[in-house]
Amino acid sequence: MDFSFTEEQTLLKDSFQRFLQDAYGFEDYRKIIETEQGYSADTWAQMGDLQWQGLPFSDADGGLGYGHIELLLLAEEMGRGLCVEPYMANVVLAGQTIAKLASAEQKSALLPGLMDGSRQISLAHAELGGRYQALWCETSASEQGDSWTLKGHKSMVLNAPNADQFLVVARISGATDEATGLGVFLIDKDASGVSLKANKVLGGGVAGELSLNNVAAQRLGGEAGEVIEDVLDLATAYSCADAYGAMQALLAKTAEYSKTRKQFGMPLGAFQVLQHRMVDMFIEVQQSQSMILMVMLRLSDSDRAARQKAVAACKAYMHKASKYVAQQAVQLHGGIGVTEELDIGHYFRRLTAFGSLFGDRTHQLRRLASLDKAQRQAQGKLANAA
């Protein structure tokens, strides 16, 4: 099987890399993460001018009509360049939820601003009690005539302090852990009853805790359970590609450092034991590349269970691999590897945060086992019926 990218995909990837190299240096990054916003409004506007925010949206929705492969190629360069712009929060989480669930009228009201960078929307789905369970939801939605009212609490809402509006996952019916009975509701940041506590995210960016007390809301579409799962799987794959880009950067920087840093009159790279460690880093990066290629292909699979298993497997492997590569990069640089003045420690933080985002290795392995068990049971029923 040929895993080569098309000429257009290669050109896109090169353009992403050139822009981030030219407009997003390490010193720029350091200044940005110290700001209250946690991102650069100028860079975000430039991305809008380049139509990056419209990349994964269909032509019918006013986007560029590219697919999962192009989206993950962008994520890879974001990770390599230590880019902290709120792309995943706006385009992947909120944007794809709108694209998959909202009515044509709602899309026309929300997506143009999201795609040109003038509007920011955050998806509020996670709750403390649910740990990593995608559909665990205590936040309730009550219908009152033609309107809805929300009450509850959402945790780790990415880019919440910068959002103009929120998409809130709330329960309409059923128990807290049921897969059905869920809806997605649009609320304004300044709406009555909304309380936000902002915080910074390890590795860059901002998030917030969202409290809702009888907040008026507009519902998007119908039953939302499967849509939320699919969007979170896409976001997980996006974060894996981002981590893969960061891992490549760490490997390249560590190999270069080993050629120039001398100890006992010899470059570090001349010591065989350190060569072995860099080879192990290289192996982890190469295997991670294989996982990313696998998930790129599987995300377009018509078999939903196959998509979910691919994402779970990719995240489970890359959590372990990224942790190893990040730790070895710091160790091989020595004390300077954790200083603010060197980018190695910042990549380390980014990959540390990645490990817990959307479910850690343990959660993903359990999910993979559960999906595999359900698939075998379904196949057994079909065999018995035949």
Side-chain angles (χ1 to χ4, degrees):
M1 181 179 289
D2 184 8
F3 292 108
S4 302
F5 297 120
T6 66
E7 182 180 358
E8 185 176 6
Q9 289 167 344
T10 302
L11 289 172
L12 272 173
K13 187 175 187 296
D14 290 343
S15 69
F16 298 151
Q17 189 174 110
R18 284 197 306 272
F19 173 82
L20 292 170
Q21 285 176 344
D22 294 340
Y24 216 93
F26 178 58
E27 291 306 317
D28 297 314
Y29 157 85
R30 289 186 63 195
K31 293 176 183 176
I32 291 168
I33 62 173
E34 293 300 323
T35 64
E36 186 177 344
Q37 288 179 309
Y39 80 102
S40 167
D42 290 340
T43 303
W44 186 245
Q46 289 178 49
M47 289 181 175
D49 293 339
L50 293 169
Q51 297 184 295
W52 285 15
Q53 286 91 327
L55 189 77
F57 295 99
S58 68
D59 295 331
D61 289 336
L64 296 182
Y66 285 106
H68 301 123
I69 294 176
E70 292 81 7
L71 179 64
L72 297 197
L73 288 176
L74 172 59
E76 179 185 336
E77 297 309 321
M78 291 280 208
R80 191 197 310 273
L82 274 179
C83 184
V84 292
E85 302 308 297
Y87 193 91
M88 182 169 65
N90 282 287
V91 178
V92 182
L93 289 170
Q96 293 308 299
T97 300
I98 295 168
K100 292 174 182 293
L101 193 62
S103 66
E105 183 180 356
Q106 290 169 331
K107 288 181 185 180
S108 64
L110 298 173
L111 289 181
L114 203 64
M115 285 190 271
D116 66 21
S118 63
R119 180 197 299 264
Q120 296 200 45
I121 305 175
S122 288
L123 177 67
H125 67 92
E127 298 186 11
L128 288 174
R131 188 62 175 167
Y132 294 129
Q133 295 181 56
L135 303 182
W136 198 97
C137 183
E138 276 189 331
T139 298
S140 62
S142 304
E143 189 173 15
Q144 298 177 348
D146 296 331
S147 62
W148 291 85
T149 302
L150 306 184
K151 190 172 185 179
H153 183 87
K154 292 295 180 179
S155 179
M156 193 56 185
V157 182
L158 295 176
N159 197 47
N162 300 316
D164 302 300
Q165 294 170 300
F166 297 105
L167 296 180
V168 180
V169 180
R171 184 159 295 284
I172 300 168
S173 63
T176 55
D177 58 350
E178 282 190 35
T180 57
L182 293 170
V184 171
F185 299 85
L186 180 70
I187 65 171
D188 291 329
K189 181 179 182 178
D190 299 325
S192 176
V194 176
S195 177
L196 176 66
K197 181 181 178 181
N199 54 69
K200 289 194 173 184
V201 177
L202 180 69
V206 291
E209 303 290 316
L210 193 64
S211 295
L212 309 168
N213 185 16
N214 296 323
V215 179
Q218 173 190 357
R219 188 177 182 184
L220 268 62
E223 176 62 40
E226 286 195 0
V227 169
I228 293 302
E229 280 192 312
D230 290 346
V231 168
L232 291 178
D233 277 340
L234 179 59
T236 302
Y238 179 95
S239 69
C240 287
D242 181 291
Y244 170 57
M247 291 166 67
Q248 291 180 80
L250 282 175
L251 176 62
K253 291 172 183 293
T254 303
E256 183 61 30
Y257 181 75
S258 72
K259 297 174 185 177
T260 57
R261 176 70 166 90
K262 292 186 176 182
Q263 190 72 26
F264 305 111
M266 299 173 62
L268 290 180
F271 295 95
Q272 191 176 52
V273 66
L274 300 185
Q275 292 174 6
H276 290 168
R277 291 170 73 171
M278 280 182 280
V279 167
D280 289 340
M281 290 173 67
F282 173 78
I283 291 171
E284 294 293 354
V285 171
Q286 290 299 110
Q287 290 182 326
S288 295
Q289 181 187 36
S290 297
M291 297 302 290
I292 293 296
L293 289 172
M294 179 271 292
V295 85
M296 280 179 171
L297 297 175
R298 285 297 189 184
L299 281 174
S300 300
D301 200 313
S302 59
D303 185 343
R304 189 162 182 266
R307 296 198 307 269
Q308 292 176 325
K309 288 172 68 177
V311 171
C314 184
K315 177 60 190 290
Y317 180 81
M318 289 200 62
H319 181 185
K320 181 181 178 181
S322 63
K323 182 178 180 180
Y324 178 83
V325 170
Q327 289 178 339
Q328 292 304 310
V330 169
Q331 289 294 320
L332 289 168
H333 276 81
I336 196 175
V338 291
T339 59
E340 290 292 325
E341 293 75 20
L342 192 67
D343 54 7
I344 299 300
H346 295 269
Y347 281 108
F348 179 87
R349 294 175 194 173
R350 191 182 187 99
L351 291 176
T352 299
F354 157 73
S356 298
L357 189 62
F358 307 123
D360 60 11
R361 175 178 169 82
T362 300
H363 169 78
Q364 298 295 349
L365 288 174
R366 287 173 177 166
R367 185 185 184 213
L368 188 59
S370 177
L371 288 166
D372 193 53
K373 180 180 179 181
Q375 190 174 40
R376 290 199 308 271
Q377 289 175 340
Q379 290 171 347
K381 288 179 181 179
L382 288 174
N384 292 335

